[in-house]
Amino acid sequence: MRNPGPERLASGMPRALVILIAGACLVVIIAGLKLGAWLIAPVFLAMVIVITLRPVPQWLRRHGVPAGIATALLILLVYALVAALVVILVVSIAQLASLLPAYAERADDLLDGLKSLLAHWNISPEQLRPATDQLDFDRLLGYVGNLLGSVTSIGTSILFVLALLLFFCIEASGAGARQLALQSDRPAIGSAISGFVRGTRRYMFVTTVFGLIVAVLDTIALEIMGIPLPLLWGVLAFITNYIPNVGFILGLAPPAILGLLEGGWQTLLAVIVVYSALNFVIQSVIQPRFVGQAVGISTIATFLSLVLWGWVLGPLGAILAIPLTLLAKALLVDVDPRARWVDDLLASRATGRAEAPPRPSAEPEKS
């Protein structure tokens, strides 16, 4: 009996060679995405916003509002939301910059107290110097100044996103007809794109609802504890809620540090306890269950997508990690029935498509 050679695909190429070629292509694609992150991330952000809010003009048209007026109302709604968010962030950051110099002396006192405490444990100042040299409050003020100095460039990016939103909102009125044509001409691609739109809309709805709940609760709690700028930290908690898994830590750090400067270690612990009770339970325990049910992606796949897209596209990639993963899955997995096994690996629970292999039929008995 002849020994079979290496496993080959229907194309005649060895499977190992196909895997190597696919891996090389993937590296090139990721490098291209990283190089064009300045363009890809804002474009995808605008597309996700329009996909999320598209049901609004559809609802208006079902209630007799003309298509042009419904599209104009959608544009006004999007612009109003973006403008409100930008105004809150810019004003709050300006207030923070004027507030931080008042805490410089308090920060030095806390640092001296920490040195005394560690010296009481027989840790010499020479051993502490490499760490304490990094704790420079003036350097923190410099970071805030650089942040304020970059408001102009941020404003340019926002204008670019607003222009994209305008064109996407106008084109969204004809998206239904294009989707039907695509579904008729290429059913597999049409179904995959429809699944991406549905999954993205569900994810954004669930994440936005939980983000609003967390933001309101955090703002109220920080106001009660007397932490300065509670509205800024509430908005920060809302934005970081879109970052899977680690958004809780990113939203906790600034108000916790400000609580330390404002009221000492007791206030720091109070902020951590409140955030842990509110944000951790909601964002890390309850919300992932709803997100997994909405998009069908497991927790480990969510975390890996956060790491990948955050590295490739930067902060916007971290915020849009789940929609980007849904788009990649739609284009690479859902369009090809032979790749559905990848969906089983990424799914939050088994899809139940597996069936027992057919049993060989017995030969009919001869009479």
Side-chain angles (χ1 to χ4, degrees):
M1 182 176 180
R2 187 168 59 89
N3 185 28
E7 183 180 359
R8 294 176 179 269
L9 301 180
S11 60
M13 298 178 61
R15 184 179 296 273
L17 181 59
V18 173
I19 293 175
L20 289 175
I21 294 176
C25 293
L26 182 62
V27 171
V28 173
I29 292 173
I30 291 177
L33 291 174
K34 190 173 179 63
L35 186 63
W38 65 273
L39 175 64
I40 297 172
V43 169
F44 193 77
L45 173 63
M47 184 176 69
V48 168
I49 292 175
V50 173
I51 288 175
T52 304
L53 297 179
R54 187 186 167 198
V56 174
Q58 291 177 337
W59 181 84
L60 292 174
R61 277 186 281 179
R62 285 197 302 267
H63 288 75
V65 178
I69 297 179
T71 302
L73 291 176
L74 174 61
I75 295 173
L76 291 176
L77 174 62
V78 171
Y79 276 36
L81 293 175
V82 174
L85 184 62
V86 170
V87 168
I88 293 174
L89 289 176
V90 171
V91 173
S92 298
I93 291 175
Q95 293 176 347
L96 179 63
S98 63
L99 188 64
L100 283 179
Y103 291 109
E105 184 177 354
R106 173 63 176 166
D108 293 336
D109 293 339
L110 288 173
L111 186 57
D112 293 337
L114 178 61
K115 292 179 180 178
S116 301
L117 179 62
L118 294 178
H120 181 70
W121 292 343
N122 297 324
I123 300 177
S124 63
E126 288 75 14
Q127 294 174 309
L128 296 176
R129 184 167 290 111
T132 55
D133 289 343
Q134 303 297 325
L135 300 176
D136 189 355
F137 194 76
D138 293 334
R139 184 180 300 176
L140 176 61
L141 293 178
Y143 290 152
V144 175
N146 293 335
L147 179 62
L148 290 176
S150 62
V151 169
T152 303
S153 61
I154 294 175
T156 304
S157 301
I158 292 174
L159 291 177
F160 179 53
V161 173
L162 291 178
L164 290 172
L165 286 172
L166 174 62
F167 293 113
F168 275 123
C169 289
I170 294 174
E171 291 295 325
S173 59
R178 294 189 181 94
Q179 187 173 353
L180 290 176
L182 181 61
Q183 188 76 30
S184 176
D185 190 42
R186 294 287 189 272
I189 299 178
S191 299
I193 297 299
S194 299
F196 158 71
V197 171
R198 288 193 303 269
T200 298
R201 191 171 293 151
R202 291 172 185 170
Y203 167 75
M204 294 299 293
F205 175 77
V206 171
T207 306
T208 301
V209 169
F210 279 101
L212 288 174
I213 294 174
V214 167
V216 171
L217 294 177
D218 286 346
T219 302
I220 295 174
L222 294 176
E223 180 69 30
I224 294 175
M225 288 186 290
I227 304 299
L229 305 175
L231 183 59
L232 172 61
W233 312 129
V235 173
L236 179 64
F238 174 75
I239 295 175
T240 56
N241 186 62
Y242 290 97
I243 303 177
N245 303 114
V246 299
F248 159 70
I249 300 175
L250 298 177
L252 166 65
I257 295 174
L258 199 58
L260 174 64
L261 297 175
E262 178 70 20
W265 299 102
Q266 296 84 355
T267 306
L268 169 67
L269 293 176
V271 173
I272 294 176
V273 169
V274 170
Y275 264 66
S276 299
L278 296 177
N279 298 39
F280 180 77
V281 172
I282 295 177
Q283 292 178 294
S284 301
V285 178
I286 301 176
Q287 180 177 332
R289 297 180 180 273
F290 287 89
V291 171
Q293 295 174 1
V295 301
I297 299 178
S298 64
T299 304
I300 183 63
T302 300
F303 178 74
L304 293 177
S305 67
L306 165 67
V307 175
L308 173 64
W309 294 115
W311 174 70
V312 173
L313 299 180
L316 276 182
I319 295 175
L320 300 172
I322 299 299
L324 284 165
T325 302
L326 291 177
L327 179 60
K329 187 172 81 72
L331 297 178
L332 301 178
V333 178
D334 296 342
V335 297
D336 187 0
R338 296 172 298 178
R340 294 296 172 86
W341 59 272
V342 179
D343 196 15
D344 293 330
L345 294 177
L346 298 177
S348 57
R349 56 183 178 181
T351 57
R353 286 195 309 263
E355 298 178 357
R359 302 174 65 179
S361 57
E363 294 183 2
E365 297 182 358
K366 295 182 180 179
S367 56

